[in-house]
Amino acid sequence: MTGTLILVRHGQSEWNLKNLFTGWRNPGLTEQGIAEARAAGKALKAKGYKPDAYYTSALVRAQRTLDLILEEMGIENLTIVRNQALNERDYGDLAGLNKDDAREKWGEEQVHIWRRSYDVPPPGGESLKDTAARVLPYYEAEILPRLKAGETVLIAAHGNSLRALVMVIEGLDEEAILKREIATGAPIVYTIDADGKRVSTEELLSA
């Protein structure tokens, strides 16, 4: 018996477009982001996926992405679990700042360390390690048992919260996960066996 885990990063947000650090702030989707979410829904419907459970974060851009995916899949009247454990990494004092302005304030090298190190958080925020420390226990308690039981689970979340999951599922080390790009609106589909291990990976719509 195998389960299916579908991960989708939210479509492009207004702050993605403006090159701003977003974190736990709540911008909406751009027109491109809406189109990306709809394309993800169409791709999943074309593959015949019918999830048993749906999870998203407490942030609007991920919730809206999931709503659009479900609309395209023709799925309604269902329960969606929203939990801040799946929220994007909290960028703390960087949230709302243009990335170029942040480099001017703190320096190119320091901002690069905050963005691309595994365990160095920005001021007042979270590192990827911190993000994983809330995402993974939630996954193991709430989602993994469903996958082990053979269910199909769809998660719409964020680049870094999904990166924390991908790191464990794909067995990547701290250096490799930082280089692992997760495109907006491009579903990653894993087959998971009864022991919770990955059997296969398929990426839809990725460039």
Side-chain angles (χ1 to χ4, degrees):
M1 180 184 296
T2 58
T4 302
L5 175 62
I6 304 167
L7 305 181
V8 185
R9 180 183 176 190
H10 65 79
Q12 184 192 63
S13 76
E14 293 162 356
W15 283 20
N16 291 147
L17 181 62
K18 294 177 181 177
N19 200 33
L20 305 182
F21 286 100
T22 308
W24 285 34
R25 302 290 182 86
N26 245 337
L29 298 179
T30 62
E31 288 301 315
Q32 179 181 323
I34 291 169
E36 288 171 346
R38 290 195 181 283
K42 288 186 173 79
L44 291 170
K45 182 177 182 180
K47 289 281 187 177
Y49 290 114
K50 295 180 180 177
D52 301 290
Y54 305 85
Y55 292 84
T56 189
S57 74
L59 300 171
V60 169
R61 59 192 183 278
Q63 295 174 6
R64 176 70 171 140
T65 295
L66 181 56
D67 289 344
L68 291 165
I69 288 170
L70 296 177
E71 191 177 304
E72 291 299 328
M73 294 177 78
I75 297 171
E76 51 190 22
N77 300 322
L78 72 158
T79 299
I80 296 171
V81 180
R82 300 178 178 90
N83 196 294
Q84 75 174 31
L86 296 172
N87 277 18
E88 176 59 297
R89 173 185 171 189
D90 184 352
Y91 276 105
D93 293 353
L94 299 184
L97 289 180
N98 182 282
K99 292 172 184 175
D100 292 331
D101 292 341
R103 291 185 190 101
E104 277 191 29
K105 181 173 182 178
W106 284 288
E108 176 90 35
E109 185 177 349
Q110 183 61 68
V111 172
H112 181 76
I113 289 169
W114 288 331
R115 292 189 68 197
R116 287 296 178 231
S117 67
Y118 180 69
D119 56 3
V120 180
E126 295 178 307
S127 64
L128 181 56
K129 183 179 181 180
D130 296 329
T131 307
R134 60 174 162 80
V135 174
L136 296 177
Y138 183 75
Y139 170 74
E140 288 164 4
E142 300 294 328
I143 297 166
L144 192 55
R146 290 179 174 272
L147 298 171
K148 288 180 175 180
E151 293 188 13
T152 296
V153 177
L154 172 57
I155 302 175
H158 307 267
N160 284 298
S161 54
L162 294 180
R163 197 173 265 125
L165 287 178
V166 168
M167 181 177 181
V168 170
I169 293 167
E170 296 186 4
L172 301 176
D173 63 22
E174 295 174 9
E175 190 172 325
I177 190 57
L178 295 171
K179 297 174 183 174
R180 178 70 160 87
E181 291 299 327
I182 299 174
T184 51
I188 305 171
V189 183
Y190 298 107
T191 303
I192 305 292
D193 68 17
D195 294 323
K197 304 297 183 186
R198 174 182 60 142
V199 177
S200 66
T201 306
E202 182 178 12
E203 297 197 34
L204 310 181
L205 303 178
S206 58

